[in-house]
mmCIF file of all heavy atoms in Angstrom:
data_model
loop_
_atom_site.group_PDB
_atom_site.id
_atom_site.type_symbol
_atom_site.label_atom_id
_atom_site.label_comp_id
_atom_site.label_asym_id
_atom_site.label_seq_id
_atom_site.Cartn_x
_atom_site.Cartn_y
_atom_site.Cartn_z
ATOM 1 N N ALA A 4 4.438 120.143 13.088
ATOM 2 C CA ALA A 4 3.906 118.932 12.445
ATOM 3 C C ALA A 4 4.994 117.875 12.278
ATOM 4 O O ALA A 4 4.755 116.679 12.488
ATOM 5 C CB ALA A 4 3.293 119.289 11.095
ATOM 6 N N SER A 9 7.578 112.790 14.065
ATOM 7 C CA SER A 9 8.736 112.040 14.557
ATOM 8 C C SER A 9 8.409 111.354 15.886
ATOM 9 O O SER A 9 8.841 110.222 16.119
ATOM 10 C CB SER A 9 9.958 112.953 14.690
ATOM 11 O OG SER A 9 9.773 113.916 15.685
ATOM 12 N N TRP A 15 7.279 103.683 22.381
ATOM 13 C CA TRP A 15 6.185 103.536 23.343
ATOM 14 C C TRP A 15 5.101 104.589 23.192
ATOM 15 O O TRP A 15 4.281 104.755 24.076
ATOM 16 C CB TRP A 15 6.736 103.546 24.769
ATOM 17 C CG TRP A 15 7.530 102.316 25.062
ATOM 18 C CD1 TRP A 15 7.038 101.067 25.291
ATOM 19 C CD2 TRP A 15 8.940 102.191 25.129
ATOM 20 N NE1 TRP A 15 8.052 100.175 25.507
ATOM 21 C CE2 TRP A 15 9.238 100.843 25.409
ATOM 22 C CE3 TRP A 15 10.005 103.085 24.971
ATOM 23 C CZ2 TRP A 15 10.535 100.367 25.531
ATOM 24 C CZ3 TRP A 15 11.301 102.611 25.098
ATOM 25 C CH2 TRP A 15 11.546 101.272 25.379
ATOM 26 N N ASP A 22 -2.819 119.295 19.037
ATOM 27 C CA ASP A 22 -3.309 120.568 19.577
ATOM 28 C C ASP A 22 -3.728 120.418 21.034
ATOM 29 O O ASP A 22 -4.804 120.859 21.431
ATOM 30 C CB ASP A 22 -4.481 121.081 18.730
ATOM 31 C CG ASP A 22 -4.042 121.402 17.311
ATOM 32 O OD1 ASP A 22 -2.942 121.967 17.159
ATOM 33 O OD2 ASP A 22 -4.779 121.090 16.365
ATOM 34 N N GLU A 33 -9.743 111.759 29.983
ATOM 35 C CA GLU A 33 -10.755 110.762 29.649
ATOM 36 C C GLU A 33 -10.992 110.671 28.143
ATOM 37 O O GLU A 33 -11.081 109.577 27.586
ATOM 38 C CB GLU A 33 -12.064 111.103 30.360
ATOM 39 C CG GLU A 33 -13.120 110.033 30.220
ATOM 40 C CD GLU A 33 -14.352 110.345 31.045
ATOM 41 O OE1 GLU A 33 -14.191 110.732 32.219
ATOM 42 O OE2 GLU A 33 -15.461 110.210 30.502
ATOM 43 N N ASP A 38 -2.886 107.324 29.798
ATOM 44 C CA ASP A 38 -2.351 106.580 30.933
ATOM 45 C C ASP A 38 -1.262 107.381 31.641
ATOM 46 O O ASP A 38 -1.171 107.369 32.851
ATOM 47 C CB ASP A 38 -1.766 105.247 30.484
ATOM 48 C CG ASP A 38 -2.819 104.337 29.880
ATOM 49 O OD1 ASP A 38 -3.929 104.259 30.450
ATOM 50 O OD2 ASP A 38 -2.546 103.716 28.835
ATOM 51 N N VAL A 40 1.826 110.873 30.880
ATOM 52 C CA VAL A 40 2.423 111.897 30.029
ATOM 53 C C VAL A 40 3.913 111.952 30.353
ATOM 54 O O VAL A 40 4.306 111.867 31.512
ATOM 55 C CB VAL A 40 1.769 113.282 30.286
ATOM 56 C CG1 VAL A 40 2.509 114.391 29.564
ATOM 57 C CG2 VAL A 40 0.309 113.255 29.862
ATOM 58 N N ALA A 41 4.735 112.099 29.329
ATOM 59 C CA ALA A 41 6.178 112.229 29.518
ATOM 60 C C ALA A 41 6.608 113.637 29.116
ATOM 61 O O ALA A 41 6.205 114.139 28.064
ATOM 62 C CB ALA A 41 6.907 111.195 28.673
ATOM 63 N N HIS A 42 7.396 114.263 29.967
ATOM 64 C CA HIS A 42 7.894 115.622 29.709
ATOM 65 C C HIS A 42 9.089 115.848 30.613
ATOM 66 O O HIS A 42 9.346 115.044 31.503
ATOM 67 C CB HIS A 42 6.791 116.648 30.001
ATOM 68 C CG HIS A 42 6.938 117.916 29.224
ATOM 69 N ND1 HIS A 42 7.827 118.896 29.572
ATOM 70 C CD2 HIS A 42 6.318 118.349 28.115
ATOM 71 C CE1 HIS A 42 7.735 119.893 28.706
ATOM 72 N NE2 HIS A 42 6.825 119.575 27.808
ATOM 73 N N GLU A 44 11.330 117.515 33.665
ATOM 74 C CA GLU A 44 10.895 117.634 35.051
ATOM 75 C C GLU A 44 10.633 119.052 35.527
ATOM 76 O O GLU A 44 10.116 119.254 36.619
ATOM 77 C CB GLU A 44 11.909 116.971 35.976
ATOM 78 C CG GLU A 44 13.267 117.633 35.977
ATOM 79 C CD GLU A 44 14.261 116.895 36.844
ATOM 80 O OE1 GLU A 44 13.841 116.147 37.747
ATOM 81 O OE2 GLU A 44 15.464 117.059 36.620
ATOM 82 N N VAL A 55 1.539 123.019 35.488
ATOM 83 C CA VAL A 55 0.456 122.517 34.640
ATOM 84 C C VAL A 55 0.393 120.988 34.646
ATOM 85 O O VAL A 55 -0.627 120.406 34.290
ATOM 86 C CB VAL A 55 0.552 123.046 33.187
ATOM 87 C CG1 VAL A 55 0.416 124.559 33.164
ATOM 88 C CG2 VAL A 55 1.829 122.620 32.505
ATOM 89 N N TYR A 56 1.477 120.334 35.066
ATOM 90 C CA TYR A 56 1.481 118.879 35.146
ATOM 91 C C TYR A 56 1.238 118.377 36.566
ATOM 92 O O TYR A 56 1.363 117.187 36.847
ATOM 93 C CB TYR A 56 2.815 118.328 34.629
ATOM 94 C CG TYR A 56 3.033 118.641 33.163
ATOM 95 C CD1 TYR A 56 4.013 119.534 32.766
ATOM 96 C CD2 TYR A 56 2.259 118.042 32.188
ATOM 97 C CE1 TYR A 56 4.213 119.827 31.432
ATOM 98 C CE2 TYR A 56 2.443 118.324 30.851
ATOM 99 C CZ TYR A 56 3.431 119.219 30.477
ATOM 100 O OH TYR A 56 3.618 119.506 29.159
ATOM 101 N N LEU A 58 -1.475 117.908 38.357
ATOM 102 C CA LEU A 58 -2.538 116.895 38.472
ATOM 103 C C LEU A 58 -1.991 115.520 38.110
ATOM 104 O O LEU A 58 -2.218 114.539 38.817
ATOM 105 C CB LEU A 58 -3.715 117.256 37.559
ATOM 106 C CG LEU A 58 -4.835 116.227 37.441
ATOM 107 C CD1 LEU A 58 -5.581 116.108 38.766
ATOM 108 C CD2 LEU A 58 -5.789 116.603 36.322
ATOM 109 N N LYS A 60 1.184 114.543 38.056
ATOM 110 C CA LYS A 60 2.208 114.135 39.019
ATOM 111 C C LYS A 60 1.575 113.586 40.282
ATOM 112 O O LYS A 60 2.028 112.576 40.827
ATOM 113 C CB LYS A 60 3.125 115.312 39.341
ATOM 114 C CG LYS A 60 4.016 115.699 38.185
ATOM 115 C CD LYS A 60 4.827 116.952 38.507
ATOM 116 C CE LYS A 60 5.712 117.352 37.341
ATOM 117 N NZ LYS A 60 6.462 118.588 37.613
ATOM 118 N N GLY A 72 20.298 117.670 25.335
ATOM 119 C CA GLY A 72 21.000 118.909 25.039
ATOM 120 C C GLY A 72 20.029 120.061 25.121
ATOM 121 O O GLY A 72 18.856 119.877 25.392
ATOM 122 N N THR A 76 16.243 118.756 18.950
ATOM 123 C CA THR A 76 16.150 118.605 17.505
ATOM 124 C C THR A 76 17.516 118.789 16.858
ATOM 125 O O THR A 76 17.922 117.999 16.005
ATOM 126 C CB THR A 76 15.148 119.616 16.916
ATOM 127 O OG1 THR A 76 13.894 119.425 17.553
ATOM 128 C CG2 THR A 76 14.990 119.422 15.420
ATOM 129 N N ASN A 83 22.951 112.759 13.084
ATOM 130 C CA ASN A 83 22.786 112.073 11.812
ATOM 131 C C ASN A 83 23.674 112.658 10.716
ATOM 132 O O ASN A 83 24.232 111.937 9.915
ATOM 133 C CB ASN A 83 21.328 112.126 11.350
ATOM 134 C CG ASN A 83 20.483 111.125 12.088
ATOM 135 O OD1 ASN A 83 20.835 109.959 12.141
ATOM 136 N ND2 ASN A 83 19.399 111.563 12.665
ATOM 137 N N ARG A 94 23.567 106.903 3.584
ATOM 138 C CA ARG A 94 22.653 107.125 2.462
ATOM 139 C C ARG A 94 23.188 108.181 1.501
ATOM 140 O O ARG A 94 23.062 108.070 0.288
ATOM 141 C CB ARG A 94 21.274 107.548 2.955
ATOM 142 C CG ARG A 94 20.523 106.450 3.626
ATOM 143 C CD ARG A 94 19.168 106.882 4.036
ATOM 144 N NE ARG A 94 18.497 105.848 4.786
ATOM 145 C CZ ARG A 94 17.497 106.039 5.580
ATOM 146 N NH1 ARG A 94 17.014 107.248 5.757
ATOM 147 N NH2 ARG A 94 16.939 105.047 6.218
ATOM 148 N N ARG A 96 26.291 108.896 0.877
ATOM 149 C CA ARG A 96 27.444 108.395 0.133
ATOM 150 C C ARG A 96 27.008 107.744 -1.184
ATOM 151 O O ARG A 96 27.765 107.669 -2.130
ATOM 152 C CB ARG A 96 28.231 107.394 0.965
ATOM 153 C CG ARG A 96 29.174 108.038 1.941
ATOM 154 C CD ARG A 96 30.143 107.010 2.505
ATOM 155 N NE ARG A 96 29.500 106.107 3.434
ATOM 156 C CZ ARG A 96 29.390 106.331 4.749
ATOM 157 N NH1 ARG A 96 29.865 107.428 5.275
ATOM 158 N NH2 ARG A 96 28.796 105.452 5.526
#
Side-chain angles (χ1 to χ4, degrees):
S9 66
W15 291 285
D22 296 319
E33 187 175 314
D38 297 317
V40 172
H42 206 282
E44 64 183 338
V55 297
Y56 296 111
L58 173 68
K60 290 175 181 178
T76 303
N83 282 308
R94 289 183 185 160
R96 278 193 288 271

